[in-house]
Amino acid sequence: FLKKTMNDELIKFRDKWLTDSQSQGYENQHSYLSIMGAFLYLTNLFPTFPIPVSPSAWLVVSALQECGAAMKLNEKQAQQTRVEDFTRDGRFFEKNSVRLRPGWKFLSPVAMRETSVS
């Protein structure tokens, strides 16, 4: 029951964001938002602007919250989430970690290796 409910919520989230992104031309804005978020983080101005530090991490956190797997954050906290926050253990890092609800856990990171082909 819980898995089906989570799946249904994720499908609704995906469909909503696909519709929104197509109507607003998000594919053209993603790189710009990423660069601006990185620049604002580098200059420590990110708390004053309402754009995500990492658009990808913000979208994943939003999806996890929508389906009920992640602890609720306010919008500003969700926008300040970075990719590396997913790898930090909330037991040891009070800040800068994405916390899941009890019973949920992230799987171990997978090592990826890029091989070049000439």
Side-chain angles (χ1 to χ4, degrees):
F1 172 75
L2 184 61
K3 191 172 184 176
K4 176 155 177 34
T5 304
M6 183 189 70
N7 250 354
D8 293 344
E9 290 299 319
L10 286 173
I11 289 169
K12 282 192 252 178
F13 182 85
R14 179 200 62 201
D15 293 343
K16 180 185 113 187
W17 277 96
L18 280 175
T19 303
D20 287 351
S21 68
Q22 289 170 350
S23 68
Q24 296 179 14
Y26 182 71
E27 67 275 359
N28 300 327
Q29 300 172 18
H30 182 77
S31 295
Y32 173 73
L33 278 173
S34 297
I35 292 168
M36 286 304 299
F39 177 75
L40 291 172
Y41 185 76
L42 177 70
T43 58
N44 208 23
L45 295 172
F46 65 96
T48 58
F49 291 91
I51 68 169
V53 170
S54 168
S56 300
W58 171 69
L59 193 63
V60 170
V61 165
S62 299
L64 289 171
Q65 288 182 14
E66 189 77 23
C67 76
M71 301 293 247
K72 290 290 185 186
L73 301 172
N74 64 38
E75 186 61 25
K76 190 166 204 73
Q77 290 171 321
Q79 287 180 342
Q80 293 175 1
T81 302
R82 297 164 299 161
V83 174
E84 61 266 23
D85 296 345
F86 290 96
T87 61
R88 294 196 175 105
D89 191 338
R91 295 173 297 175
F92 306 112
F93 295 94
E94 186 65 31
K95 292 177 144 186
N96 300 331
S97 67
V98 175
R99 294 173 180 247
L100 297 180
R101 293 185 180 275
W104 298 90
K105 68 177 183 172
F106 289 116
L107 297 176
S108 300
V110 176
M112 302 282 294
R113 189 175 94 185
E114 183 178 333
T115 57
S116 60
V117 177
S118 309

